[in-house]
Amino acid sequence: MFGLEKPPGQQKLGRSGGFPNMASVGDFNVLSSSIPATKVELSVSCRNLLDRDTFSKSDPICVLYTQAIGNKEWREFGRTEVIDNTLNPDFVRKFIMDYFFEERENLRFDFYDVDSKSPNLSKHDFLGQMFCTLGEIVGSQGSRLEKPIAGIPGKKCGTVIVTAEELGCCRDSVLMQFCANKLDKKDFFGKSDPFLVFHRSNEDGSFTICHKTEVVKNTLNPVWQAFKISVRALCNGDYDRTQINFTVAIDFTASNGNPSQPTSLHYMNPYQLNAYGMALKAVGEIIQDYDSDKMFPALGFGARLPPDGRVSHEFALNGNPQNPYCHGIDGVMEAYYRSLKSVQLYGPTNFAPVINHVARYAASVKDGSQYFVLLIITDGVISDMAQTKESIVNASKLPMSIIIVGVGPAEFDAMEELDGDVVRISSRGKFAERDIVQFVPFRDYIDRSGNHVLSMARLAKDVLAEIPDQFLSYMRVRGIKPSPAPPPYTPPIHVLQTQI
């Protein structure tokens, strides 16, 4: 699709200046990796930016920064073009980034009103900034994130809209040239100054700008210069979008040790996270970007519950069996610490009840619009091996994956068997339809220098690395093709039945 429109102002600062004049999709690709990754293209638009110019509107530019894992330093990734005289820019220049599902990529978008040809940003007026993660953009409804711009106290700085599209492998390009005849006369004292704007359609029915031609001055019969553009820039990305529903289950058995003692795996250290907390935060902070409502069921197993001391293998950490959902990973962490103060660690260690809990939800949505991930954190001493195997074999037919993080010094032979990387897990003569379990021992990721940020990043990278392939394997087996973004998941009501 393309359209003719009267420019609110032309892009300024030509090739002799500090900023680019013309821009098109794919101009920016400053980072590359030898590790296989999906490439995503970020499109940026703003609405109601601050007006810093006296006799006209601001001339905005967007600057993207990234933050390396374990490093607080922000590094400039790239810049859009400058658009003259507008508070509602739709930037043509895109940011093309490597995207790893299992890694947390922090992003910062800064906006400036460009006042000169200097590339030094301190020479220009700051319009505000927005922080997010790449996963937050990709995981938003329709892979479209809209957030307020902040950074200037007491000022409403407008909003930014960032859209992510997966780039295909097509490397073809096309050469195009356009002309027009007898256009409408828009200028009072002269003829029109026309230019073309191209938009591509998105899966949600909206359109994203992908190319602008030059302006041809004072004519109703323009002939624009020929231009070359990649085919993938003109075609909508085929992103396999789905909603991920994340559930966490934590081992509250007595083998973890008394939480009040420093030797306990559940020790509540006021100065740093324990192993359970680090594993939960590392995985959860990445997964939560793909769950639109950020509400997570948080379960515990193997504890005696107040007031009567009955043993449960499927209890809500927030104490509400009718609504075990916690808001965000911080809410899960708070419920976890609160439970440590109210329940008694006991036993045995049964996995099957929490696996079956998530499987009931997954069984209600088999059309590919939802996918379920269960994170089990345990010290590894499992008591119901036969029942757990059967639960996993049954769950392998459902849209779900299971991540098991083993904490502490125990031998994890049973967990390795559940992982099924060497021998596909089976129960009663039936083999699992898919490999849906990923196990890692937390001790393998402890950084000797004490850098817990790096430990958590490495752990998250490895435990989440198999999730995309497990998701795709379910879709392929079921013959499910990518479809437009689904509505947010509304879970059916399953009141927790306390397992004795």
Side-chain angles (χ1 to χ4, degrees):
M1 171 184 179
F2 63 89
L4 293 169
E5 58 183 69
K6 180 69 177 175
Q10 303 165 21
Q11 297 172 13
K12 68 178 184 179
L13 301 180
R15 299 186 185 277
S16 60
F19 294 98
N21 183 21
M22 303 239 348
S24 185
V25 171
D27 283 355
F28 250 85
N29 190 6
V30 300
L31 287 188
S32 61
S33 172
S34 58
I35 303 173
T38 297
K39 286 194 178 294
V40 294
E41 175 189 271
L42 302 184
S43 302
V44 182
S45 298
C46 299
R47 296 296 178 262
N48 303 313
L49 288 175
L50 278 177
D51 192 354
R52 288 302 187 101
D53 289 350
T54 305
F55 298 108
S56 64
K57 296 181 175 129
S58 294
D59 308 318
I61 187 174
C62 172
V63 185
L64 173 61
Y65 295 85
T66 61
Q67 193 176 50
I69 294 174
N71 190 336
K72 294 184 178 180
E73 179 187 357
W74 289 98
R75 302 180 67 177
E76 183 175 327
F77 182 87
R79 305 181 182 190
T80 66
E81 77 280 17
V82 179
I83 300 183
D84 192 8
N85 194 30
T86 181
L87 304 182
N88 302 294
D90 296 308
F91 296 104
V92 176
R93 175 162 285 195
K94 318 295 184 185
F95 300 110
I96 298 176
M97 307 189 72
D98 287 332
Y99 166 64
F100 298 87
F101 173 84
E102 66 273 14
E103 295 183 9
R104 182 179 178 89
E105 181 81 37
N106 293 320
L107 305 179
R108 188 183 93 206
F109 295 84
D110 285 6
F111 301 92
Y112 291 87
D113 174 19
V114 175
D115 295 317
S116 70
K117 295 182 179 181
S118 171
N120 186 345
L121 294 173
S122 65
K123 304 292 185 183
H124 309 288
D125 293 327
F126 181 61
L127 298 178
Q129 60 188 186
M130 185 272 282
F131 295 86
C132 67
T133 67
L134 183 55
E136 190 178 354
I137 301 169
V138 174
S140 296
Q141 187 77 9
S143 295
R144 181 183 184 273
L145 178 67
E146 183 170 346
K147 292 184 74 170
I149 299 171
I152 302 180
K155 296 284 188 180
K156 290 185 177 180
C157 301
T159 59
V160 57
I161 302 145
V162 185
T163 304
E165 291 286 348
E166 181 183 5
L167 291 179
C169 297
C170 178
R171 297 183 180 274
D172 295 340
S173 60
V174 292
L175 184 65
M176 306 176 74
Q177 185 171 26
F178 289 83
C179 62
N181 294 309
K182 300 180 181 177
L183 295 179
D184 192 20
K185 181 175 179 292
K186 295 293 185 182
D187 292 349
F188 189 76
F189 293 109
K191 298 175 182 177
S192 296
D193 304 322
F195 68 101
L196 282 172
V197 179
F198 293 78
H199 297 78
R200 66 160 181 248
S201 64
N202 301 318
E203 288 184 356
D204 61 359
S206 63
F207 289 86
T208 299
I209 188 171
C210 63
H211 184 75
K212 282 183 182 179
T213 67
E214 78 282 7
V215 176
V216 181
K217 290 284 191 178
N218 196 31
T219 180
L220 303 182
N221 302 292
V223 177
W224 289 280
Q225 295 178 14
F227 63 92
K228 187 177 182 181
I229 187 170
S230 67
V231 171
R232 69 185 185 187
L234 292 173
C235 302
N236 186 33
D238 188 22
Y239 189 79
D240 294 326
R241 189 176 300 128
T242 191
Q243 172 81 359
I244 292 181
N245 301 281
F246 178 56
T247 301
V248 61
I250 296 177
D251 184 340
F252 280 80
T253 56
S255 56
N256 286 281
N258 188 333
S260 64
Q261 300 298 319
T263 55
S264 172
L265 296 171
H266 282 304
Y267 178 55
M268 292 184 286
N269 188 327
Y271 303 107
Q272 69 180 46
L273 296 173
N274 60 30
Y276 277 86
M278 281 195 278
L280 173 57
K281 199 170 182 67
V283 178
E285 284 194 340
I286 291 178
I287 285 284
Q288 72 176 352
D289 286 338
Y290 303 89
D291 191 312
S292 59
D293 63 4
K294 305 292 187 286
M295 298 297 292
F296 309 120
L299 311 176
F301 57 91
R304 297 180 68 177
L305 307 184
D308 55 4
R310 70 185 186 276
V311 178
S312 174
H313 301 291
E314 186 188 356
F315 65 90
L317 295 188
N318 64 5
N320 186 349
Q322 282 76 32
N323 183 14
Y325 291 81
C326 301
H327 183 67
I329 294 305
D330 289 341
V332 175
M333 297 288 291
E334 182 181 340
Y336 161 60
Y337 286 123
R338 194 163 56 239
S339 288
L340 284 176
K341 297 176 182 178
S342 64
V343 306
Q344 178 187 352
L345 304 193
Y346 202 67
T349 306
N350 294 346
F351 284 6
V354 293
I355 295 174
N356 293 337
H357 172 92
V358 176
R360 288 196 295 271
Y361 288 90
S364 69
V365 189
K366 297 181 181 178
D367 62 357
S369 63
Q370 314 290 336
Y371 199 78
F372 296 77
V373 175
L374 169 62
L375 170 64
I376 299 175
I377 311 176
T378 179
D379 70 350
V381 184
I382 186 170
S383 306
D384 66 338
M385 190 64 171
Q387 294 90 336
T388 295
K389 283 184 176 182
E390 184 174 10
S391 296
I392 291 172
V393 169
N394 293 335
S396 69
K397 302 174 183 177
L398 302 174
M400 68 178 283
S401 292
I402 301 169
I403 297 168
I404 303 174
V405 177
V407 295
E411 293 297 325
F412 292 115
D413 293 346
M415 302 298 106
E416 297 284 1
E417 184 178 350
L418 295 179
D419 192 303
D421 282 345
V422 179
V423 179
R424 181 68 59 88
I425 190 172
S426 63
S427 174
R428 300 186 184 185
K430 287 196 309 182
F431 284 87
E433 185 178 287
R434 302 179 296 124
D435 176 15
I436 65 168
V437 179
Q438 169 75 344
F439 166 74
V440 295
F442 183 74
R443 60 180 176 235
D444 290 355
Y445 298 87
I446 297 176
D447 187 82
R448 293 181 180 177
S449 67
N451 189 330
H452 296 306
V453 174
L454 282 179
S455 298
M456 292 163 66
R458 290 169 185 154
L459 172 69
K461 179 180 175 64
D462 279 5
V463 299
L464 293 173
E466 292 186 10
I467 297 294
D469 284 342
Q470 291 174 0
F471 162 72
L472 289 174
S473 72
Y474 175 81
M475 298 301 176
R476 291 191 192 103
V477 168
R478 295 290 177 273
I480 299 172
K481 304 294 184 183
S483 59
Y489 172 64
T490 302
I493 297 176
H494 289 304
V495 177
L496 280 180
Q497 302 296 323
T498 298
Q499 300 289 324
I500 306 299

